Amino acid sequence: MSFTPFFLYNITLHASLNSRNYFCQFLKSIIQPVYGAQHPPLDPRLTKNFIKERSKVNTVPLKNKKASSFHEFARNTSDAWDIGDDEEEDFSSPSFQTLNSKVALATAAQVLENHSKLRVKPERSQSTTSDVPANYKVIKSSSDAQLSRNSSDTCLRNPLHKQQSLPLRPIIPLVARISDQNASGAPPMTVREKTRLEKFRQLLSNQNTDLDELRKCSWPGVPREVRPITWRLLSGYLPANTERRKLTLQRKREEYFGFIEQYYDSRNEEHHQDTYRQIHIDIPRTNPLIPLFQQPLVQEIFERILFIWAIRHPASGYVQGINDLVTPFFVVFLSEYVEEDVENFDVTNLSQDMLRSIEADSFWCMSKLLDGIQDNYTFAQPGIQKKVKALEELVSRIDEQVHNHFRRYEVEYLQFAFRWMNNLLMRELPLRCTIRLWDTYQSEPEGFSHFHLYVCAAFLIKWRKEILDEEDFQGLLMLLQNLPTIHWGNEEIGLLLAEAYRLKYMFADAPNHYRR
């Protein structure tokens, strides 16, 4: 009938006060996940089905309850995984445009409601250049005051962030600077930080570096200037004796490129094709929002590193998630040759020798890390299964209310914590925070295998309020898989590590204390 087009015309005209296509902007806002640190772009095929489900929810009578458990959620979304093979499908496809009139009217009414709320409460958008839905929740970092002063020139650097419905905020550099390690409001370089840097340099210049003292100094964070050499020492890649370091580096780098000559051509052989194909697929998905990792030369380096590691470790081979573990080492060793922030740096500006050194060092340090957690990636991944179970037991003792909340809505720890263990929280935290976290992991005995468990427990409990506010399975899973840490800095990581150390001190030497 004629009422529907006229009604929608008025809606479109009213919404155009703020944007040309407010209707499409609203549709994107209702399907956008809670902002996390590193999540891949939404698959448009999943997005299409998700919009259909949301539309169904908006049109059901109020007496119908939301899916409050896994079984209800599974029944209500049983068609969500019926995806075809066409990866080019998007919002403009005919299937998306076949919304019925009831859905269109309900969505349009919601547009008007949200738009009127934004006009009534303009103070919610004082720091933004685009409209934010009224129900959007942004958790602010305690480091904001310092970042706004020290990074005013960085807010325009990465256009990818402008596309998101977030307030315009300065972006913390990818590689954490020393000034980022200070408390909020501290000067860019305090006397204390200068003293720490000088202490590191003295330790590293000794003929035989005291590794125990180096670990103690590195626990609260390593200054950017000395992080590359410190990581090489703490990972066991370099010897403590300064006279042996140059020869060791030369020998290990030549050994790595010997592996390249010996094994890399075999990637086209039939029994290695599946491994190489999976690596080739995963590399572009590694930190997709950071331009550095989308450069072809960088992706070729990652492919060689991962393929050679897989060939030399047949017990596990390549497993999805290992690709993420290369990135912190690559960034840290790249920063040795680059003064500026590396997120937009063009690696073709480096010499061939520099690139070869970065590649070989990244391979050996990643190998040292994986040697301690290889049972995470063998058949059936038993290491991860044990760690997730230990996390469940630990949380049941330190916060029984959160544990019972998960049980009430049938949320299994494996559904969200598997990724935490498989990727060492790299998908939950910005890369700058991962680098700071690994300063401590490499300073701790069994940091990546044992201490990581307590970091995960502290990380989960940090969001207890948000977890308890969610009262259905779907909401809990969406929160836990997209935790809002995008604005985190070194201060938040420092608090997280302090809480993890407290938990370790209480439970690590008394395992029976957290068993029922």
Side-chain angles (χ1 to χ4, degrees):
M1 67 183 179
S2 60
F3 173 75
T4 301
F6 180 76
F7 181 64
L8 290 176
Y9 172 79
N10 284 337
I11 291 173
T12 306
L13 181 63
H14 186 64
S16 64
L17 293 173
N18 287 322
S19 67
R20 292 184 306 170
N21 201 338
Y22 198 94
F23 183 80
C24 290
Q25 180 180 351
F26 171 73
L27 287 179
K28 292 179 182 179
S29 70
I30 64 173
I31 63 170
Q32 190 171 11
V34 179
Y35 233 75
Q38 295 183 33
H39 57 79
L42 286 174
D43 190 325
R45 299 167 297 170
L46 293 177
T47 302
K48 177 190 69 175
N49 290 297
F50 185 67
I51 290 177
K52 291 180 180 178
E53 294 301 323
R54 290 295 297 264
S55 301
K56 293 176 183 177
V57 172
N58 289 336
T59 56
V60 296
L62 294 177
K63 64 180 181 179
N64 289 346
K65 296 174 62 178
K66 294 174 66 178
S68 60
S69 71
F70 172 75
H71 296 295
E72 292 181 41
F73 173 76
R75 287 197 299 271
N76 294 340
T77 59
S78 59
D79 64 336
W81 312 110
D82 298 334
I83 304 172
D85 295 327
D86 186 8
E87 296 184 355
E88 302 299 325
E89 194 171 9
D90 56 24
F91 288 126
S92 62
S93 63
S95 59
F96 177 75
Q97 295 173 355
T98 56
L99 294 173
N100 60 45
S101 59
K102 291 184 179 180
V103 173
L105 288 175
T107 305
Q110 188 65 39
V111 169
L112 285 179
E113 181 182 353
N114 284 352
H115 182 63
S116 62
K117 289 181 180 178
L118 289 172
R119 290 177 62 85
V120 172
K121 299 182 179 181
E123 65 274 7
R124 291 176 62 91
S125 305
Q126 288 179 354
S127 62
T128 182
T129 57
S130 62
D131 295 321
V132 182
N135 62 347
Y136 193 87
K137 185 175 182 180
V138 177
I139 296 180
K140 300 192 68 174
S141 164
S142 57
S143 303
D144 284 347
Q146 178 193 0
L147 295 174
S148 61
R149 284 192 294 273
N150 295 342
S151 305
S152 59
D153 61 329
T154 62
C155 61
L156 300 177
R157 180 174 48 202
N158 192 342
L160 294 170
H161 288 271
K162 290 184 179 180
Q163 300 172 6
Q164 313 299 341
S165 300
L166 282 173
L168 183 63
R169 308 169 55 124
I171 300 169
I172 308 176
L174 172 67
V175 179
R177 297 186 181 278
I178 294 178
S179 58
D180 290 337
Q181 298 180 10
N182 301 329
S184 297
M189 186 70 166
T190 64
V191 174
R192 177 178 175 274
E193 291 299 330
K194 291 180 180 179
T195 303
R196 288 191 72 241
L197 179 58
E198 185 60 31
K199 185 171 183 179
F200 269 93
R201 285 176 171 159
Q202 288 178 358
L203 276 171
L204 296 170
S205 63
N206 291 337
Q207 185 174 3
N208 289 289
T209 301
D210 187 340
L211 294 181
D212 290 335
E213 186 65 23
L214 185 62
R215 291 188 184 96
K216 186 187 299 183
C217 293
S218 301
W219 206 100
V222 180
R224 182 180 189 269
E225 291 84 346
V226 294
R227 184 176 275 136
I229 182 66
T230 301
W231 277 27
R232 291 188 187 103
L233 287 165
L234 293 179
S235 66
Y237 173 45
L238 276 187
N241 185 277
T242 55
E243 296 178 355
R244 296 172 51 206
R245 290 176 191 169
K246 185 176 181 180
L247 290 175
T248 300
L249 277 178
Q250 182 180 352
R251 176 174 57 83
K252 298 296 284 185
R253 288 168 180 172
E254 290 176 355
E255 185 179 355
Y256 168 71
F257 284 100
F259 294 151
I260 296 291
E261 294 179 6
Q262 183 177 358
Y263 298 119
Y264 194 58
D265 287 341
S266 67
R267 67 189 185 279
N268 297 318
E269 297 177 4
E270 184 176 356
H271 57 289
H272 289 153
Q273 280 183 352
D274 289 343
T275 297
Y276 180 73
R277 177 181 175 277
Q278 189 60 57
I279 292 171
H280 189 72
I281 290 172
D282 289 346
I283 292 299
R285 301 173 180 172
T286 305
N287 294 285
L289 298 182
I290 299 177
L292 172 69
F293 300 115
Q294 303 309 307
Q295 298 179 36
L297 185 55
V298 173
Q299 294 184 356
E300 290 173 11
I301 289 173
F302 279 29
E303 284 184 2
R304 288 194 293 267
I305 290 174
L306 294 170
F307 184 76
I308 296 302
W309 188 89
I311 293 298
R312 298 187 71 245
H313 295 82
S316 62
Y318 173 75
V319 177
Q320 286 181 297
I322 296 179
N323 56 304
D324 287 329
L325 305 184
V326 185
T327 56
F329 293 115
F330 184 84
V331 168
V332 167
F333 297 139
L334 176 61
S335 69
E336 196 169 20
Y337 304 98
V338 180
E339 292 293 332
E340 62 204 65
D341 298 330
V342 303
E343 56 189 344
N344 292 304
F345 182 76
D346 185 357
V347 297
T348 59
N349 294 325
L350 295 178
S351 69
Q352 189 67 23
D353 287 342
M354 291 177 180
L355 289 172
R356 286 169 64 90
S357 298
I358 293 168
E359 180 177 347
D361 293 355
S362 299
F363 169 81
W364 287 115
C365 287
M366 185 197 74
S367 298
K368 292 287 187 181
L369 184 161
L370 289 170
D371 285 347
I373 58 172
Q374 192 168 354
D375 63 340
N376 285 7
Y377 305 106
T378 53
F379 178 74
Q381 301 183 269
I384 292 180
Q385 303 279 351
K386 292 176 183 177
K387 291 181 178 70
V388 171
K389 184 61 178 177
L391 177 66
E392 181 176 359
E393 293 176 350
L394 183 58
V395 172
S396 71
R397 300 302 294 169
I398 63 179
D399 198 325
E400 191 172 6
Q401 187 177 5
V402 167
H403 179 71
N404 290 337
H405 193 69
F406 287 153
R407 295 182 64 183
R408 178 182 178 186
Y409 295 108
E410 301 180 25
V411 174
E412 299 291 338
Y413 284 77
L414 201 63
Q415 291 166 332
F416 63 89
F418 180 90
R419 188 171 74 179
W420 296 10
M421 303 300 177
N422 189 62
N423 300 83
L424 298 177
L425 286 177
M426 287 193 63
R427 296 292 178 92
E428 327 311 319
L429 298 171
L431 185 53
R432 60 182 176 271
C433 293
T434 298
I435 291 172
R436 166 63 191 92
L437 188 67
W438 285 20
D439 287 343
T440 300
Y441 278 5
Q442 297 190 85
S443 306
E444 274 281 327
E446 299 180 318
F448 292 98
S449 58
H450 185 61
F451 187 62
H452 180 67
L453 168 67
Y454 299 97
V455 172
C456 288
F459 186 66
L460 179 64
I461 299 306
K462 175 174 176 54
W463 308 102
R464 73 181 312 274
K465 181 181 182 301
E466 290 80 4
I467 290 170
L468 295 176
D469 286 344
E470 294 289 345
E471 296 184 347
D472 64 275
F473 174 84
Q474 181 179 354
L476 282 167
L477 259 292
M478 289 187 66
L479 171 67
L480 291 167
Q481 293 179 355
N482 296 279
L483 291 165
T485 60
I486 191 170
H487 299 301
W488 273 31
N490 290 336
E491 187 170 344
E492 288 79 7
I493 294 299
L495 293 172
L496 179 69
L497 288 167
E499 177 62 16
Y501 186 81
R502 185 186 71 85
L503 294 175
K504 179 190 173 187
Y505 184 80
M506 291 174 60
F507 294 104
D509 295 327
N512 290 330
H513 184 55
Y514 63 83
R515 289 179 183 166
R516 291 186 178 277

